[in-house]
Amino acid sequence: MSLHLIIGDKLYSSWSLRAALALELAGAAYSEERVKLNQPDTRERLLKFSATAKVPLLQTEHGVVADSLAIAEYLNESFPQAQLWPADKAARAQARSACAQMHSGFFGLRANLPFDLSRNAPLVPMPAEAQADIERMAALWAECRAQSTEVGPFLFGGATLADAFFAPVAVRLRTYQVPLSAADAAYVETIYQWPAFMAWHKAGLEEVVR
Ligand SMILES: N[C@@H](CCC(=O)N[C@@H](CS)C(=O)NCC(=O)O)C(=O)O
């Protein structure tokens, strides 16, 4: 199976990070191509791959799969042995729901705390809509842990697609120095110690000096 992942800057592209972590979880061999975002020719370059003009994109033997959630489900189907979703059906439903909620919501968090791996400063004052999203995120993570049949350190025991989807949130919480409960601080640290994330993080920080 030939898989080619098109991503944005590792420093800034939170949706690209999700797809890359999903590929790492799947244990899939893949090649990677980066298109620098926010450049005069970014849209034109992305349009050569997909009419969405967005990253991530996964080129597969079945065509180009656009959108992080669709890529996650494509990998789940292609690599069933990797168990990308939790094994338990109720936990799996919760994990899928959490990813869908992330994908279609949390705009207060996403708009006010843009993803930037190199940031290390609080946001003062924290806008009310961002604070509300932070509190809702903590509740959602607690719902995931409560539904899990396995014990951490990830949301559903071992790493799943849910963690691929929430890794960029962990980055936002850490880089904006958001105060966290002990459980959420431990989860953020788990993401930062995840080898697949660490490799992306290192490469992203190296983009700063280029
Ligand atoms: N819902 C999409 C969102 C993709 C998205 O918005 N990607 C941003 C980068 S993180 C992008 O490609 N922006 C295009 C641009 O900046 O020109 C997904 O889940 O993949």
Side-chain angles (χ1 to χ4, degrees):
M1 183 185 299
S2 160
L3 295 171
H4 185 60
L5 179 69
I6 296 132
I7 57 171
D9 308 61
K10 292 191 176 182
L11 192 58
Y12 301 124
S13 185
S14 60
W15 296 109
S16 299
L17 168 59
R18 291 173 170 104
L21 290 175
L23 278 155
E24 295 293 336
L25 270 177
Y30 66 100
S31 50
E32 180 185 281
E33 181 170 345
R34 187 175 62 113
V35 174
K36 208 165 168 26
L37 300 176
N38 304 314
Q39 302 298 306
D41 65 344
T42 298
R43 186 173 163 78
E44 188 189 330
R45 288 186 66 193
L46 291 178
L47 281 173
K48 290 194 178 127
F49 298 110
S50 161
T52 62
K54 295 252 189 280
V55 284
L57 296 164
L58 187 64
Q59 289 182 326
T60 78
E61 63 190 290
H62 302 103
V64 176
V65 182
D67 194 290
S68 57
L69 201 47
I71 291 170
E73 290 294 2
Y74 179 83
L75 295 172
N76 179 54
E77 278 187 26
S78 305
F79 298 90
Q81 74 289 353
Q83 293 219 313
L84 298 185
W85 292 116
D88 176 73
K89 189 165 184 176
R92 194 160 62 248
Q94 173 67 30
R96 279 198 162 107
S97 170
C99 290
Q101 289 177 54
M102 181 71 244
H103 194 256
S104 63
F106 291 99
F107 297 112
L109 181 69
R110 284 157 57 182
N112 291 292
L113 285 70
F115 183 93
D116 176 354
L117 284 170
S118 68
R119 184 186 168 101
N120 187 21
L123 182 61
V124 184
M126 181 65 73
E129 70 268 23
Q131 184 58 37
D133 274 358
I134 288 166
E135 286 165 25
R136 172 64 198 134
M137 186 64 69
L140 181 57
W141 285 354
E143 289 165 20
C144 292
R145 291 187 197 103
Q147 197 61 256
S148 178
T149 53
E150 291 171 43
V151 178
F154 290 92
L155 291 176
F156 294 91
T160 69
L161 289 170
D163 305 297
F165 269 73
F166 288 110
V169 176
V171 169
R172 287 178 161 102
L173 295 177
R174 176 161 290 189
T175 56
Y176 287 83
Q177 302 179 1
V178 175
L180 298 173
S181 68
D184 290 343
Y187 178 58
V188 169
E189 182 59 21
T190 294
I191 296 293
Y192 269 79
Q193 295 301 324
W194 187 3
F197 172 80
M198 288 168 81
W200 178 284
H201 186 248
K202 181 170 180 291
L205 293 184
E206 283 167 6
E207 289 175 358
V208 178
V209 289
R210 265 183 216 157

